[in-house]
Amino acid sequence: MRKRENHKPRKGPQKNQPAKAYQPAKPTKPPHRTPPKAREYTVQEPAELLSFLLNTVENMGRNSIKSALARGQISVNGQAVTAYNHPLQPGQVVSLSKEKIVEAPPFVGLSILHEDDDIIVIHKEAGLLSIASEHEKEMTAYHQLTTHVRLQHPSNRIFVVHRLDRDTSGVMMFAKKEDVKQLLQNNWKEIVHERSYVALVEGKVRQPEGTISSWLKEMKTLKMYSSPYPNDGQHAVTHYKTLEANSAYSLLEVHLETGRKNQIRVHMEDLGHPIVGDKKYGAKSRGLGRLGLHARILAFSHPTTGAPMRFDTGIPKPFTRLLQQDGAATNKKDRR
């Protein structure tokens, strides 16, 4: 008699038991790794980089230090350096990282004049947007400074305090904390002691100094204009003083009592002397190649320490150059 084979039970759901739904394995995240903090050494006296490192860094031989230099792990004041004979000066900070130092991308159209834990003061060049527009999101002062502060910590932020027109150059300030931004904006008149511009305008201004007061409104085309009716719009007051002039141009020092959109540009048109290069507000000359408006001085009390701060970016050389060129041509005609 044939022996019956024993069969192993099939795998799978048993009778009257529901099948278990398939559950994929949960993806595992790589463990968070905090990059090791760089070792920092302050330079006390002039020296070359390699000799400084050999005399200062403990537990590292000559070959190890050379390798760290070659791999870009050494920086001086935040900039990676690979040259052995790089000259050091007292006060500079040399950093040694266990990883290659990631350098910040270069700024385009701006430079930092001052930075601390609360504010950043910059010099913005003509042509750079202060903040994003409908057509440009990334090439702005705001975006570049945000990238800059996030290299220090990913959660760092930048806050807009005031703005400059795209075609206006000069000094401006951003806050690094929201409460500092609110403090500055709510107490702007008390904190800011001086905010002056230089404007290169068409023609010779008859009155060497004066004040322009009007009510500004905005057209559907986004162009601002002075309303002929009192209290019709935002009140704007601009003070000006002639610094230099010839028959074709005048260089004015301009102080704002109020800060309205395109205020100086509108008031110079009202004066009969539009800003050079400002076609939108009546200018005909194009010899400058840019708008002849520059935010020269910003003086204020530091919003948290109260320390007096003053930044003077001077008069752009193209402004004075155009004045001198035209002045020389005018004198030559007069001699004839």
Side-chain angles (χ1 to χ4, degrees):
M1 190 174 176
R2 194 173 177 180
K3 191 174 180 181
R4 194 173 181 180
E5 295 181 0
N6 293 326
H7 294 279
K8 293 182 180 179
R10 293 180 181 179
K11 292 182 179 179
Q14 299 297 316
K15 191 175 181 180
N16 299 326
Q17 289 185 357
K20 291 183 180 179
Y22 170 72
Q23 294 182 346
K26 293 182 180 179
T28 56
K29 294 182 180 180
H32 177 72
R33 183 169 59 89
T34 303
K37 188 176 180 181
R39 287 182 279 173
E40 296 184 344
Y41 307 92
T42 303
V43 179
Q44 303 297 331
E45 57 186 28
E48 290 188 351
L49 181 56
L50 179 58
S51 62
F52 172 81
L53 291 169
L54 289 171
N55 293 326
T56 308
V57 180
E58 298 178 354
N59 303 322
M60 279 189 77
R62 187 182 188 90
N63 291 337
S64 297
I65 290 175
K66 282 187 173 182
S67 296
L69 279 164
R71 289 193 296 267
Q73 295 171 223
I74 308 293
S75 69
V76 179
N77 282 2
Q79 296 294 320
V81 176
T82 57
Y84 298 170
N85 62 347
H86 180 84
L88 300 176
Q89 299 299 326
Q92 291 182 319
V93 176
V94 177
S95 300
L96 171 60
S97 173
K98 290 188 177 181
E99 298 179 354
K100 184 176 180 179
I101 296 166
V102 179
E103 290 190 47
F107 290 123
V108 177
L110 70 87
S111 57
I112 293 179
L113 303 176
H114 171 83
E115 180 178 5
D116 57 40
D117 291 339
D118 300 306
I119 59 172
I120 293 184
V121 181
I122 69 164
H123 177 273
K124 185 188 83 68
E125 296 177 10
L128 179 69
L129 282 167
S130 298
I131 61 172
S133 69
E134 183 181 349
H135 304 291
E136 179 59 65
K137 305 295 183 185
E138 294 190 0
M139 191 48 63
T140 67
Y142 175 83
H143 185 271
Q144 292 186 69
L145 292 173
T146 298
T147 301
H148 167 71
V149 299
R150 284 182 176 170
L151 285 174
Q152 302 164 19
H153 195 281
S155 64
N156 285 351
R157 295 177 64 189
I158 286 293
F159 298 90
V160 178
V161 177
H162 64 114
R163 305 175 190 179
L164 291 179
D165 290 346
R166 180 178 201 153
D167 297 319
T168 302
S169 59
V171 60
M172 62 183 301
M173 173 170 45
F174 290 83
K176 295 175 72 175
K177 299 173 183 175
E178 192 167 10
D179 58 339
V180 174
K181 170 201 170 182
Q182 294 297 334
L183 181 66
L184 284 165
Q185 290 186 333
N186 294 339
N187 303 277
W188 185 255
K189 289 186 177 180
E190 292 75 25
I191 291 175
V192 177
H193 310 306
E194 182 180 359
R195 188 182 178 196
S196 67
Y197 293 72
V198 284
L200 185 65
V201 301
E202 294 182 344
K204 187 172 184 178
V205 179
R206 292 182 181 179
Q207 262 190 310
E209 58 184 287
T211 297
I212 307 163
S213 176
S214 72
W215 301 86
L216 298 188
K217 297 189 72 175
E218 189 170 13
M219 299 178 180
K220 291 182 179 179
T221 59
L222 305 182
K223 180 181 177 181
M224 304 297 292
Y225 69 98
S226 289
S227 172
Y229 307 106
N231 300 310
D232 182 29
Q234 292 184 313
H235 190 218
V237 180
T238 303
H239 307 283
Y240 73 88
K241 178 181 178 182
T242 303
L243 298 176
E244 190 177 346
N246 57 38
S247 62
Y249 304 107
S250 298
L251 183 65
L252 308 180
E253 179 180 276
V254 180
H255 292 269
L256 296 178
E257 193 171 308
T258 57
R260 310 303 185 193
K261 179 182 177 181
N262 294 171
Q263 176 177 324
I264 299 175
R265 298 166 68 180
V266 177
H267 279 174
M268 292 302 104
E269 183 184 33
D270 292 346
L271 191 64
H273 298 276
I275 294 172
V276 172
D278 197 0
K279 186 178 178 181
K280 185 175 182 179
Y281 290 96
K284 297 178 180 179
S285 59
R286 300 180 181 177
L288 193 59
R290 54 156 292 185
L291 184 70
L293 184 60
H294 175 73
R296 176 180 178 177
I297 297 173
L298 181 64
F300 57 93
S301 296
H302 192 283
T304 54
T305 68
M309 309 196 78
R310 189 176 192 272
F311 300 91
D312 186 341
T313 53
I315 300 171
K317 289 182 180 179
F319 289 21
T320 54
R321 193 180 299 127
L322 187 61
L323 268 169
Q324 291 163 1
Q325 287 174 353
D326 191 83
T330 301
N331 292 334
K332 190 174 182 180
K333 288 178 183 178
D334 292 342
R335 286 196 296 270
R336 289 178 182 175

